């Protein structure tokens, strides 16, 4: 029997239909066969589907006016059919010497979402949103405070990557490769609560052009609060993406509070499902753990976490808690953090402390709230 959660959680499917307005269909919502069908049904030449797809995925061109091999008279009609504008850039903020860039987008229904582009010496990573808002209600996360507005469409997810791959290709991230290589589903939303669209987006991002963007599956990370049935389904997809589990506490008593969905799927069950995922895919599981002062950072919790993870194909990512408006919590002091790391490593668990990229622009983990007014 399943116990009902005490905190009302919102899964994408529970939203009242009238409030949700999905965007027009875009080529990134479909495979190549589907794109051809849209054109031929509209009386257009089917071969244009591959041409437009090549522009979009191969050359990162989103503006039909730049498609000089398509007759000028056809460009508007074709782009209405397959490349409607999905993301309207509202604002871009940069920090860390331009190596972290947060983009705020307005969607067709006025919803606001954010993505963060991060340049490193060896790679460029984009952190993308899968939902407008989030229904998981984690009390330390800014996105969780506003609730869920709606699921993003597959193309709205993919378009964040294609747009920002174009920004990276323009050479603005000095000292980083120009080719965007890594995608993390760690922006707004719970990716596994928008399961079908997220999986379709992963397929689009990893299929070779013109079908898709041609990224490596291994360079994609899907992060979850621990929606067990969806984690199981993901293991069946034959995708070698990295799974990140936002654990934040090794014991149910505290995790029930920090990650309310734990009231439905407990720590033991979430971890068992994660180990099963790693057995099936050969991928190491990333365990996310925000370090919150005097809340989850005690030595005994480090030891308990170490016992749960020892001998598993897992890596712990400790995230110093990023400040969010109105939150009563702050980050653990550095000595406490160091002791936590030491204990995990002593238990044989690989552990790193994540950098706090993007903090000044509220672009760090848990700070994405997509309000237009501030800054
Ligand atoms: N809903 C998914 C995807 C979001 S990922 C998930 O929770 O996994 C965003 C990551 O940042 C999650 O691990 C989340 O728990 C973490 N996070 C949220 N708020 C944070 C904060 N204030 N400081 C540090 N990390 C935070």
């Amino acid at each position: 029997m399943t116990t009902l959660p005490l905190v009302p959680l919102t899964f994408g499917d529970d939203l009242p239909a009238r409030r949700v307005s999905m965007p027009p269909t875009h080529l990134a919502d479909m495979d190549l066969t589907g794109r051809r069908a849209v054109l031929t049904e509209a009386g257009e030449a089917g071969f244009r589907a591959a041409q437009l797809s090549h522009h979009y995925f191969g050359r990162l061109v989103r503006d039909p006016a730049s498609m000089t091999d398509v007759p000028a008279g056809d460009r508007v009609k074709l782009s209405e059919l397959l490349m409607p504008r999905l993301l309207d850039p509202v604002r871009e903020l940069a920090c860390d010497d331009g190596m972290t860039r947060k983009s705020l987008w307005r969607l067709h229904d006025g919803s606001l979402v954010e993505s963060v582009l991060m340049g490193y010496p060896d790679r460029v990573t984009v952190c993308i949103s899968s939902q407008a808002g989030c229904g998981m209600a984690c009390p330390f996360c800014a996105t969780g405070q506003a609730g869920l507005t709606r699921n993003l469409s597959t193309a709205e997810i993919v378009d964040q990557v294609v747009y920002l791959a174009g920004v990276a290709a323009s050479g603005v991230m000095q000292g980083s490769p120009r080719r965007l290589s890594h995608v993390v589903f760690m922006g707004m939303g719970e990716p596994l609560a928008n399961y079908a669209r997220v999986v379709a987006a992963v397929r689009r991002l990893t299929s070779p052009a013109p079908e898709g963007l041609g990224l490596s599956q291994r360079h994609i990370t899907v992060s979850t609060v621990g929606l067990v049935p969806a984690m199981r389904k993901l293991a069946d997809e034959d995708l070698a993406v990295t799974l990140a589990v936002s654990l934040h506490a090794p014991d149910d008593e505290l995790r029930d509070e920090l990650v309310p969905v734990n009231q439905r799927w407990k720590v033991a069950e979430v971890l068992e499902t994660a180990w099963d995922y790693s057995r099936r895919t050969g991928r190491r599981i990333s365990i996310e753990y925000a370090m919150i002062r005097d809340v989850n950072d005690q030595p005994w919790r480090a030891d308990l976490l170490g016992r749960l993870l020892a001998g598993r194909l897992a890596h712990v990512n400790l995230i110093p808690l990023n400040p969010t408006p109105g939150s009563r919590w702050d980050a653990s002091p550095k000595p406490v953090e160091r002791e936590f790391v030491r204990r995990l490593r002593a238990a044989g668990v690989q552990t790193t402390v994540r950098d706090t990229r993007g903090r000044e622009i509220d672009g760090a983990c848990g700070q994405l709230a997509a309000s237009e007014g501030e800054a």
Side-chain angles (χ1 to χ4, degrees), residues 106-125:
R106 186 181 292 102
L107 308 180
H108 83 109
D109 61 343
S111 298
L112 296 169
V113 296
E114 292 175 314
S115 327
V116 184
L117 186 65
M118 291 163 287
Y120 301 89
D122 60 331
R123 72 198 141 92
V124 174
T125 301

Side-chain angles (χ1 to χ4, degrees), residues 140-141 185-187 189-191 223-225 246 248 288 290 319-322 324 365-366:
F140 57 93
C141 176
F185 282 81
M186 294 190 177
E190 167 51 41
S223 186
T224 182
V225 288
S246 295
H248 306 309
E288 311 299 305
I319 319 169
L321 186 81
N322 290 306
T324 58
C365 305

Side-chain angles (χ1 to χ4, degrees), residues 329-343:
W329 289 319
D330 53 10
S332 305
K334 285 291 155 192
V336 172
E337 182 186 284
R338 278 195 291 273
E339 178 60 12
F340 206 88
V341 172
R342 194 190 66 71
R343 284 173 181 259

Side-chain angles (χ1 to χ4, degrees), residues 91-95 100-104 360-362 374-375:
R91 187 177 64 210
E92 190 185 282
L93 295 172
C95 70
T100 306
R101 293 164 180 271
K102 180 171 86 163
S103 299
L104 174 66
E360 302 154 45
I361 53 174
D362 285 346
E374 28 123 327

